[in-house]
Amino acid sequence: MPHYIYLVRHGEQQDAEHGMPDGPLSARGKRQARLLAERLGGVPFTGAWHSPLQRAAETAEIIADRLPSLTPEPSALLFDCFPSGKSVDTPSAYDPFFGAISDAEIDAGSAQMEDAVAEFLQSRPGDRHDLLITHNFVIAWFVREVLGAPDWRWVGINQGNCGLTVLQQRPGRPWTLVTHNDLGHLPFELRTGLPDNLIV
């Protein structure tokens, strides 16, 4: 039986444009989460986890309110982080981005994501549907991992707020990317969190 992982980026954060490290969802973020819950209504979830940060925890709470059989649990493996630093193959265009990240942040993020991959991408018996509510860079790392791309490639993989990414593993096969950043449940005015030229 297949194992599915549903990766969700949290809803839009209130005042995120002002550089707040964490905070509550905006009114638009709450609407995004409610619409995502409707989209996920028919999935027979077997487990759910969320980042402990407020924006992800509040997204999980809104989804759980609409899906009463779901009981999301906080997981430190889903915290927002920087999964890796630059490598010799990283294009120089990314120098300003990586130059603003400390070695300590990179070391912590790398260790976290190594543990997260070991925990959530392990083979599990039975038909499983697991929901992970987390952050842009964390989802990007999972996608990069499944595709076998070089470590630095996570930095160019973007997810919108309450975008849906689905991974699948069938017995004896590697993980597959089924869909990435699906925003079909959100009207255009609720599609936030992506660079402007990627919002479609």
Side-chain angles (χ1 to χ4, degrees):
M1 301 294 284
H3 179 190
Y4 291 93
I5 294 179
Y6 302 79
L7 293 163
V8 168
R9 186 183 179 190
H10 58 81
E12 180 187 73
Q13 180 183 328
Q14 182 177 317
D15 298 325
E17 67 272 16
H18 300 303
M20 292 176 60
D22 191 25
L25 296 181
S26 66
R28 187 159 53 182
K30 293 175 182 178
R31 288 179 62 202
Q32 291 166 341
R34 288 192 290 268
L35 288 170
L36 176 63
E38 292 178 13
R39 174 73 180 276
L40 298 174
V43 179
F45 285 113
T46 47
W49 294 265
H50 65 84
S51 160
L53 292 177
Q54 184 178 0
R55 56 192 184 269
E58 191 172 334
T59 302
E61 181 180 348
I62 290 171
I63 293 173
D65 282 346
R66 302 220 165 191
L67 302 176
S69 64
L70 202 64
T71 307
E73 303 173 30
S75 171
L77 297 178
L78 299 176
F79 264 120
D80 203 3
C81 71
F82 299 103
S84 76
K86 61 176 296 189
S87 72
V88 295
D89 299 320
T90 308
S92 59
Y94 292 108
D95 286 352
F97 174 81
F98 284 110
I101 307 171
S102 70
D103 289 343
E105 288 174 312
I106 292 170
D107 289 345
S110 177
Q112 174 188 317
M113 292 314 301
E114 182 178 350
D115 290 344
V117 165
E119 173 67 21
F120 294 115
L121 292 186
Q122 64 173 294
S123 297
R124 299 177 189 270
D127 185 14
R128 291 194 59 89
H129 296 263
D130 294 331
L131 174 64
L132 306 182
I133 301 165
T134 182
H135 305 275
N136 189 42
F137 294 162
V138 174
I139 296 170
W141 185 262
F142 278 117
V143 171
R144 182 221 60 80
E145 178 74 19
V146 166
L147 295 178
D151 285 359
W152 67 270
R153 290 306 301 269
W154 64 270
V155 75
I157 301 173
N158 293 284
Q159 289 73 219
N161 294 117
C162 284
L164 177 63
T165 294
V166 182
L167 311 178
Q168 179 201 69
Q169 185 185 48
R170 293 186 178 277
R173 299 183 185 181
W175 283 94
T176 299
L177 179 64
V178 176
T179 187
H180 175 251
N181 191 42
D182 185 346
L183 299 173
H185 48 286
L186 301 177
F188 183 80
E189 67 272 15
L190 292 185
R191 297 180 184 182
T192 61
L194 288 168
D196 289 343
N197 62 344
L198 294 180
I199 297 177
V200 292

